[in-house]
Amino acid sequence: SDNTVGDFKLKLPEQGVFIREYPTNIANKNLILETFQKIKSDSKTNKYPYDILAIIRGGGDGFEVFDDLDVCKEFAMLNFHKIVGLGHENNKSLIEFVADHSEATPSYLCTYIQKQVKATEKTILKKETPNKLNSNLESINSAICSLHSFVDEKIENSNRKLLDYLGSKNTFIFVLLALLI
């Protein structure tokens, strides 16, 4: 129903989830099979192929189509991560056993998707963090090298001036310079 789909979409994360709806008459086996074919076709021609196929339906009567062997076989053959959230907790269907993941209700399925998105974001951050650290370390190392070159040049200039000065005098002067960085 529109209420089930609307509630489902409201609970999804705002970022990281893009939805394309395929509403169909779930009481009609042939329309469901046609919808599966349409989804396969659209995914092949879409700029961004689909990753996940979710079937959701609120509670009530009429779950027999999800026990149909042809529907379950076609669903199992789809090359997506297939997830299902059907009815209420007491509704069970055969299609849940061929899904990659199944939840008892559309709301529970939403929670599952939220957790998957958060886990994916954490994985991406873990991959990006070392790259950012390496980049920062390279910048710091470059700055330190530049600073060392600058200090070495200043010390050389000072030593040259001191040697020139000492060369013009008849006395010996000992000088100790300490530089702390």
Side-chain angles (χ1 to χ4, degrees):
S1 73
D2 289 340
N3 290 340
T4 301
V5 173
D7 290 346
F8 184 81
K9 287 170 52 176
L10 283 175
K11 293 177 185 174
L12 288 175
E14 290 181 21
Q15 303 251 328
V17 177
F18 303 95
I19 298 173
R20 172 129 189 233
E21 292 180 53
Y22 289 87
T24 189
N25 180 344
I26 59 150
N28 186 318
K29 167 186 166 177
N30 292 328
L31 288 178
I32 290 174
L33 294 173
E34 285 175 21
T35 301
F36 288 161
Q37 292 306 313
K38 174 85 171 125
I39 291 168
K40 259 198 310 194
S41 174
D42 287 355
S43 183
K44 287 179 185 175
T45 60
N46 194 357
K47 182 178 178 181
Y48 302 104
Y50 307 147
D51 297 313
I52 299 170
L53 174 59
I55 296 179
I56 62 168
R57 181 193 187 266
D61 296 326
F63 283 86
E64 300 81 21
V65 73
F66 298 117
D67 291 326
D68 184 275
L69 292 178
D70 292 331
V71 170
C72 291
K73 181 181 173 186
E74 192 65 33
F75 183 67
M77 300 286 285
L78 293 170
N79 194 23
F80 305 105
H81 180 68
K82 297 172 288 295
I83 57 177
V84 176
L86 298 173
H88 297 300
E89 291 188 32
N90 60 344
N91 297 119
K92 296 292 178 211
S93 299
L94 188 58
I95 201 166
E96 294 177 55
F97 295 99
V98 297
D100 296 310
H101 184 82
S102 178
E103 292 288 346
T105 69
S107 290
Y108 293 165
L109 189 61
C110 233
T111 302
Y112 166 76
I113 294 170
Q114 290 170 343
K115 288 178 183 177
Q116 296 305 308
V117 169
K118 285 180 185 175
T120 302
E121 288 171 348
K122 286 180 184 177
T123 301
I124 290 169
L125 285 176
K126 283 181 184 177
K127 287 180 182 176
E128 288 179 355
T129 300
N131 292 336
K132 287 181 182 177
L133 288 175
N134 287 340
S135 176
N136 288 344
L137 289 174
E138 287 175 11
S139 297
I140 291 169
N141 189 39
S142 177
I144 289 172
C145 288
S146 295
L147 181 61
H148 276 293
S149 295
F150 175 77
V151 169
D152 287 346
E153 186 179 317
K154 290 295 181 185
I155 289 172
E156 264 186 53
N157 286 340
S158 294
N159 285 344
R160 224 178 287 116
K161 286 180 183 177
L162 182 62
L163 287 174
D164 288 346
Y165 174 77
L166 291 177
S168 66
K169 301 292 177 188
N170 291 333
T171 56
F172 292 99
I173 301 173
F174 294 96
V175 178
L176 176 63
L177 294 176
L179 177 63
L180 296 177
I181 297 179

